[in-house]
């Protein structure tokens, strides 16, 4: 089983990219909300990002 999971997300700037999440470090959407603070690879800024629904 792979310890890393890839998720497609959209940052607050509108950029869509794949992010790596570590399941053991996630607190879940009920605990800290649906957005995560991630460094966007397109604009190199820390931004809130949400999962893109397929």
């Amino acid at each position: 089983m792979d310890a890393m999971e890839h998720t497609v997300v959209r940052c607050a700037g509108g950029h869509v990219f794949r992010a790596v999440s570590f399941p053991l470090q996630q607190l879940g959407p009920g605990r800290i909300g649906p957005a995560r603070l991630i460094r966007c690879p397109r604009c190199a800024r820390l931004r809130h990002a949400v999962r893109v629904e397929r």
Side-chain angles (χ1 to χ4, degrees), residues 14 19-20 26-27 37:
V20 177
Q26 291 179 352
L27 298 176
L37 191 61

Side-chain angles (χ1 to χ4, degrees), residues 16-36:
V16 176
F17 57 94
R18 287 178 53 166
V20 177
S21 61
F22 300 93
L24 295 176
Q25 294 179 353
Q26 291 179 352
L27 298 176
R31 177 86 184 256
I32 59 174
R36 301 288 185 265

Side-chain angles (χ1 to χ4, degrees), residues 38-49:
I38 298 176
R39 184 168 303 278
C40 176
R42 300 283 308 273
C43 61
R45 298 176 121 180
L46 282 176
R47 303 236 184 203
H48 281 98

